[in-house]
Amino acid sequence: MLTLAEIMETIKMVQEENLDIRTITMGISLRDCADPEPKVACRKIYDKITRLASRLVAVGEEISREYGIPIVHKRISVTPISLVAECNRQEDCVEYALTLDAAAAAVGVNFIGGFSALVHKGFTYGDRALITSIPAALAGTERVCASVNVATTRAGINMDAVYLMGRVIKETAARTAEQGGLGCAKLVVFSNVPEDNPFMAGAFHGIGEPECTINVGVSGPGVVKNAVARVGNADFGTLAETVKKTAFKITRMGELVGRLAAERLGVPFGIVDLSLAPTPAVGDSVAEILEAMGLERCGTHGTTAALALLNDAVKKGGAMASSYVGGLSGAFIPVSEDAGMIRAAEEGALSLDKLEAMTCVCSVGLDMIAVPGDTSAETIAAIIADEVAIGVINNKTTAVRIIPAPGKKVGDKVTFGGLLGEAPVMAVHPFSADNFVRRGGRIPAPIQSLTN
Amino acid sequence: MTAQEQKKNRIIVTVLGPDRVGIIAGVAQVLAENNINILDISQTILQEFLAMIMIADMEKSRIDLSTLKERLAAKGSELGVRIDAQHEDAFRFMHRI
């Protein structure tokens, strides 16, 4: 029998501590939609998405109501479009983006991910066509998210792709300059990208995935923060144990919602992504958890250690709570989407370099970071190269979602609105890496032994 | 009907708010009108603030959970308390393996 205290704990988590299911994401394979005639392919894509996802939003809302747990987003991820559009030309790729946008609007989801390419070892014609069409695709659509995997531990780093992405990011910012470079908030550059990630903007439906599946992303930084605050000055063992137990409870809700959604939609349940995903709401911040652990401000010395403890404990607790774990699984540190990170950056406590160090011990990477509008494509490419090198060497996923905010300089602020929040423009190093990134070619895959 | 299936229809009704006469009666009346059986009640009072939970079985209910939630919410505003109903699994999943 459940006790009164247990029931009150659950209710308190939802009502006071912002516990929610961040997203249920339906993964849909579009591999059967390829056609040499883009119009035919796009019609097949539209029909398939609107058929399979027609009840996604309604089912999400139904579960949310019956179980009393908010489900913030219902989203869709699809097969990387570079695979589906391989035989089409570059100018046709935008047509695919418009189709995804229309299908997402028709079923009522706010984001659809999968305008993506995997080029960690090299480009096919289709990959190159898709990547060069990203700026136009993101400028011309509202809901489409793009991602490009440029490196893996087994293939090394495709530096041609890294440099190209530097230029694509600049052009995307320029094309969406009126909205502060908003297009870049929907574009992620990955290393070791997972195939089943339910979180935007990096979600796509990988080639090892089934026809259709449901993946769930949990949230709950507020719940963890309050649990951490309650243990006071307890030692690290107690701290880790508390985070673990809390992560277990949060993840159980994700597991429940995932199973229910899969059952009601008649598709297999994929994975739960064990993530602490912050929102701009006060009290829903990963930075505030680190500060509750005893740091004056997120970004000061000790931050990497605190984050390492947090991330590991979340995974340990979460892994016990779910039958299938996947996706990005870890604490997210998107600057613009986290009130505590924004404050730390504004006060000068948190720098780009410290963020880079933090990404060594957590999911995912340099996320939602605004840099001055005059940052060169080469500098952005060098930032990407650094970040993916961390992923490649440490055998983990890392990512870069960076916004060179047009016309903005350090100290300014760029506002994207909603869950994307607002980002203080952060300083980049003034020294050039131009000759390094322009070399071209591929950084070889790293050795897997002699690990120091 | 197996024990497992029976559990599928169980809900938890929670009442939070200032204590007053007639809260349990009010909630019980809504449940009885719709043929929903109360299995257990427990409550506590903290500084005149009432926290009550009821476990109920919707097996023979005449209405679905969404409709019940609306009726309980309406009764809650009448009584000046917050009343909600959720599927029991939302709690069992979190606290029991």
Side-chain angles (χ1 to χ4, degrees):
Chain A
M1 202 71 205
L2 289 157
T3 67
L4 187 64
E6 286 169 336
I7 288 169
M8 293 310 292
E9 183 188 0
T10 303
I11 289 172
K12 188 159 174 265
M13 281 184 187
V14 173
Q15 287 180 0
E16 292 172 25
E17 301 173 341
N18 296 317
L19 171 65
D20 55 47
I21 302 301
R22 184 51 47 81
T23 179
I24 51 176
T25 303
M26 177 179 266
I28 300 174
S29 167
L30 298 181
R31 274 151 66 182
D32 55 347
C33 300
D35 197 283
E37 186 51 56
K39 284 208 158 34
V40 177
C42 287
R43 203 194 61 233
K44 287 185 193 169
I45 288 171
Y46 184 87
D47 290 348
K48 186 164 187 184
I49 293 171
T50 49
R51 175 168 56 83
L52 288 171
S54 61
R55 290 179 55 240
L56 178 64
V57 172
V59 165
E61 282 168 3
E62 186 180 287
I63 294 170
S64 183
R65 207 163 45 236
E66 287 175 23
Y67 289 79
I69 170 112
I71 300 172
V72 183
H73 299 297
K74 298 89 190 172
R75 289 168 169 174
I76 296 170
S77 63
V78 297
T79 305
I81 293 297
S82 63
L83 302 177
V84 187
E86 184 71 54
C87 53
N88 302 140
R89 292 166 307 168
Q90 185 194 327
E91 49 270 35
D92 297 327
C93 286
V94 176
E95 192 65 34
Y96 283 84
L98 294 171
T99 303
L100 294 177
D101 207 36
V107 297
V109 302
N110 58 357
F111 280 125
I112 182 163
F115 199 75
S116 307
L118 308 172
V119 295
H120 36 273
K121 211 160 179 186
F123 303 91
T124 64
Y125 292 118
D127 291 331
R128 203 177 279 279
L130 181 115
I131 292 172
T132 44
S133 72
I134 285 175
L138 293 180
T141 59
E142 187 190 335
R143 297 174 161 88
V144 174
C145 294
S147 57
V148 177
N149 191 59
V150 297
T152 67
T153 299
R154 288 186 177 279
I157 305 171
N158 179 353
M159 286 299 291
D160 291 329
V162 168
Y163 188 21
L164 178 57
M165 287 315 295
R167 285 170 284 167
V168 166
I169 288 170
K170 284 291 284 184
E171 198 191 328
T172 303
R175 286 209 186 212
T176 53
E178 278 177 19
Q179 300 137 290
L182 177 67
C184 298
K186 295 182 277 182
L187 171 58
V188 192
V189 186
F190 273 108
S191 72
N192 291 324
V193 69
E195 297 199 331
D196 52 7
N197 162 29
F199 284 103
M200 296 298 165
F204 66 85
H205 188 70
I207 52 169
E209 295 288 305
E211 189 64 25
C212 185
T213 184
I214 288 289
N215 297 320
V216 172
V218 298
S219 179
V223 183
V224 176
K225 184 206 153 188
N226 284 324
V228 166
R230 275 195 294 271
V231 301
N233 293 322
D235 75 341
F236 286 109
T238 313
L239 188 59
E241 193 64 21
T242 305
V243 175
K244 235 161 69 179
K245 282 183 183 157
T246 311
F248 177 88
K249 290 175 184 171
I250 294 170
T251 310
R252 285 298 283 174
M253 288 307 240
E255 175 83 3
L256 172 66
V257 167
R259 285 189 200 176
L260 286 167
E263 189 186 309
R264 292 185 188 185
L265 289 163
V267 299
F269 175 37
I271 55 100
V272 176
D273 190 318
L274 311 176
S275 290
L276 285 181
T279 66
V282 172
D284 206 19
S285 152
V286 170
E288 286 174 16
I289 302 175
L290 304 178
E291 290 170 5
M293 286 185 186
L295 301 171
E296 188 182 355
R297 277 290 174 276
C298 175
T300 189
H301 303 294
T303 301
T304 310
L307 185 57
L309 181 153
L310 172 67
N311 200 54
D312 184 63
V314 165
K315 285 186 204 169
K316 284 173 177 163
M320 290 291 290
S322 170
S323 328
Y324 300 98
V325 173
L328 298 166
S329 286
F332 292 170
I333 51 170
V335 175
S336 77
E337 299 172 6
D338 185 312
M341 294 279 174
I342 294 171
R343 184 178 67 172
E346 281 174 345
E347 291 179 358
L350 183 63
S351 67
L352 206 53
D353 293 339
K354 189 62 181 180
L355 276 166
E356 187 182 308
M358 289 161 73
T359 66
C360 299
V361 297
C362 83
S363 156
V364 169
L366 295 173
D367 197 12
M368 289 302 287
I369 289 163
V371 295
D374 60 2
T375 309
S376 69
E378 285 77 11
T379 297
I380 290 171
I383 292 170
I384 296 171
D386 280 345
E387 189 58 37
V388 300
I390 290 170
V392 165
I393 299 294
N394 295 302
N395 212 353
K396 73 187 286 291
T397 304
T398 53
V400 176
R401 186 160 51 143
I402 192 166
I403 303 107
K408 303 276 182 178
K409 52 188 192 310
V410 176
D412 291 348
K413 209 172 211 187
V414 48
T415 304
F416 303 113
L419 272 183
L420 295 170
E422 55 177 19
V425 176
M426 298 175 81
V428 298
H429 289 284
F431 302 99
S432 155
D434 297 9
N435 292 338
F436 179 74
V437 298
R438 283 183 188 145
R439 282 177 183 276
R442 185 155 52 95
I443 295 180
I447 193 164
Q448 293 283 294
S449 60
L450 312 177
T451 52
N452 279 311
Chain B
M1 164 138 328
T2 66
Q4 193 61 41
E5 281 168 11
Q6 257 172 12
K7 277 186 177 171
K8 278 192 173 173
N9 293 310
R10 289 189 355 188
I11 57 159
I12 297 208
V13 179
T14 50
V15 182
L16 299 168
D19 195 18
R20 54 166 281 183
V21 173
I23 291 177
I24 293 187
V27 178
Q29 185 199 352
V30 174
L31 297 179
E33 278 168 5
N34 298 294
N35 207 31
I36 298 166
N37 186 27
I38 298 170
L39 303 171
D40 190 28
I41 301 180
S42 70
Q43 69 163 51
T44 181
I45 290 175
L46 299 164
Q47 296 157 355
E48 295 170 18
F49 189 82
L50 173 79
M52 180 185 79
I53 59 167
M54 278 182 182
I55 300 179
D57 185 357
M58 290 193 71
E59 172 61 25
K60 299 200 172 88
S61 171
R62 279 192 280 268
I63 53 174
D64 65 10
L65 184 48
S66 295
T67 317
L68 176 66
K69 280 170 80 101
E70 282 164 24
R71 295 198 185 165
L72 287 173
K75 178 60 82 176
S77 56
E78 200 180 290
L79 294 167
V81 293
R82 188 193 153 109
I83 310 180
D84 199 6
Q86 286 158 261
H87 200 288
E88 191 200 25
D89 279 351
F91 303 94
R92 280 203 317 128
F93 240 72
M94 183 178 274
H95 299 287
R96 296 285 182 276
I97 304 175

